[in-house]
């Protein structure tokens, strides 16, 4: 059974989909993408889990911010709307950053974390993220973004690249043309990783950019209950470049099959 809908919250709406039964697992997408990036994982996990996907504010079918907002507060309200007290959180890139912020704010509500090519608040990137939408226009900005080195490896995967292009084509571009009005700031998150209580898998593609390998090393060093995984032959978007392998890895993680390494 598939449930779809919109949550009205903080002068906006958040689109979500729920399928399957069992323990809740929430899959959180990366920047400029949306819930569709998880289609293969939803298909593979739904027999055993209640899988929740949604579009973060400003992405996909969700509305753009109209004032101060918080991605992790949006997620908290969505789970309350769905009657979910605690859940496994899975996030790619920006989605991993959101999952970490949620786990730091509401540690008792997180059953486990799977962080894939994750960002973390407070990391100083060497990557050039700027897209000049004023100069290029929205169509030009989308094209420039699709040419970013972040997507170099996914371009060689036909289905994954088609999915990325479709999602970026539908991205509002809001974050390229507006100041960041998220509150509170999460720039101190990198210094609080020792507070994460949940069992955590830190997953990074072998061919991902150096920044994300550096972040993975920090997460592995500072989170207490952690299992590091390097996926061979893939880059930043592991779940789109090696969907079956990623789905099986997530299944094992969610079921607690693979042991974690405890530090501290």
């Amino acid at each position: 059974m598939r449930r779809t809908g919109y949550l009205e919250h903080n002068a906006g709406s958040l689109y979500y989909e729920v399928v399957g039964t069992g323990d809740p697992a929430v899959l959180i997408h990366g920047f400029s993408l949306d819930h569709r990036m998880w289609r293969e994982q939803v298909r593979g996990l739904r027999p055993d889990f209640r899988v929740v996907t949604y579009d973060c504010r400003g992405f996909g079918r969700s509305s753009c911010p109209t004032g101060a907002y918080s991605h992790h507060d949006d997620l908290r309200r969505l789970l309350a709307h769905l009657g979910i007290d605690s859940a496994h959180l899975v996030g790619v890139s920006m989605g991993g950053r959101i999952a970490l912020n949620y786990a730091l704010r509401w540690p008792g509500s997180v059953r486990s974390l799977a962080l894939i090519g994750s960002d973390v608040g407070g990391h100083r990137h060497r990557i050039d993220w700027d897209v000049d939408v004023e100069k290029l226009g929205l169509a030009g900005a989308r094209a420039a973004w699709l040419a970013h080195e972040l997507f170099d490896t996914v371009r060689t995967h036909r289905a994954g690249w088609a999915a990325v292009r479709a999602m970026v084509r539908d991205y509002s571009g809001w974050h390229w043309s507006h100041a960041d009005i998220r509150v509170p700031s999460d720039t101190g998150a990198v210094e609080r990783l020792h507070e994460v209580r949940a069992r955590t898998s830190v997953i990074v593609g072998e061919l991902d950019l150096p920044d994300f390998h550096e972040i993975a090393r920090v997460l592995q060093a500072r989170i207490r209950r952690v299992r590091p995984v390097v996926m061979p032959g893939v880059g930043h978007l592991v779940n789109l470049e090696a969907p079956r392998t990623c789905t099986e890895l997530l299944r094992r993680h969610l079921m607690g099959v693979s042991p974690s390494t405890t530090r501290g």
Side-chain angles (χ1 to χ4, degrees):
M1 181 171 148
R2 178 170 174 262
R3 173 184 175 187
T4 67
Y6 288 88
L7 167 66
E8 301 299 323
H9 169 57
N10 191 16
S13 60
L14 301 171
Y15 176 78
Y16 64 86
E17 296 186 0
V18 186
V19 299
T21 58
D23 289 345
V26 184
L27 313 183
I28 312 170
H29 64 80
F31 181 80
S32 77
L33 308 177
D34 57 54
H35 74 282
R36 290 173 290 177
M37 77 173 299
W38 297 109
R39 281 178 174 166
E40 290 298 322
Q41 286 70 48
V42 170
R43 186 177 297 114
L45 297 175
R46 65 183 295 174
D48 301 300
F49 297 94
R50 183 183 179 193
V51 184
V52 179
T53 55
Y54 72 105
D55 293 339
C56 297
R57 194 175 294 257
F59 303 94
R61 301 184 189 181
S62 293
S63 61
C64 294
T66 57
Y69 73 102
S70 159
H71 283 308
H72 57 279
D73 177 66
D74 283 348
L75 177 55
R76 177 73 165 178
R77 294 301 182 97
L78 174 60
L79 295 187
H81 174 71
L82 297 174
I84 297 173
D85 295 325
S86 65
H88 301 280
L89 302 184
V90 179
V92 164
S93 199
M94 177 191 80
R97 181 170 179 159
I98 295 168
L100 278 168
N101 290 339
Y102 188 99
L104 289 169
R105 178 65 179 84
W106 297 287
S109 298
V110 180
R111 302 188 185 197
S112 74
L113 289 170
L115 308 173
I116 305 173
S118 185
D119 192 10
V120 62
H123 175 76
R124 294 187 177 182
H125 284 275
R126 295 181 295 273
I127 301 169
D128 182 4
W129 298 111
D130 291 338
V131 175
D132 192 343
V133 68
E134 183 175 344
K135 177 181 178 181
L136 299 173
L138 184 53
R142 288 172 174 151
W145 178 239
L146 286 170
H148 196 283
E149 61 181 336
L150 193 71
F151 303 118
D152 281 353
T153 53
V154 75
R155 289 191 199 98
T156 66
H157 298 268
R158 183 174 180 179
W161 183 231
V164 168
R165 284 184 293 142
M167 289 183 281
V168 172
R169 181 189 63 222
D170 294 339
Y171 169 49
S172 67
W174 187 93
H175 306 83
W176 291 332
S177 55
H178 293 78
D180 187 357
I181 52 176
R182 287 177 296 153
V183 292
S185 169
D186 69 346
T187 55
V190 71
E191 304 300 333
R192 298 180 57 203
L193 294 173
H194 63 281
E195 300 175 27
V196 175
R197 289 161 37 183
R199 173 175 58 85
T200 303
S201 289
V202 174
I203 304 163
V204 65
E206 176 190 17
L207 306 179
D208 204 349
L209 300 179
D211 267 272
F212 293 102
H213 281 276
E214 182 178 328
I215 291 170
R217 288 191 291 269
V218 171
L219 298 177
Q220 292 161 19
R222 298 184 184 181
I223 295 176
R224 293 175 60 85
R225 302 173 60 204
V226 68
R227 175 179 180 250
V229 180
V230 177
M231 293 272 289
V234 295
H236 189 57
L237 298 177
V238 167
N239 71 304
L240 290 172
E241 297 176 42
R244 292 183 181 178
T245 304
C246 182
T247 300
E248 182 57 26
L249 177 64
L250 290 177
R251 178 192 301 283
R252 292 175 62 83
H253 163 83
L254 295 172
M255 290 182 168
V257 172
S258 299
S260 64
T261 300
T262 302
R263 290 187 170 85

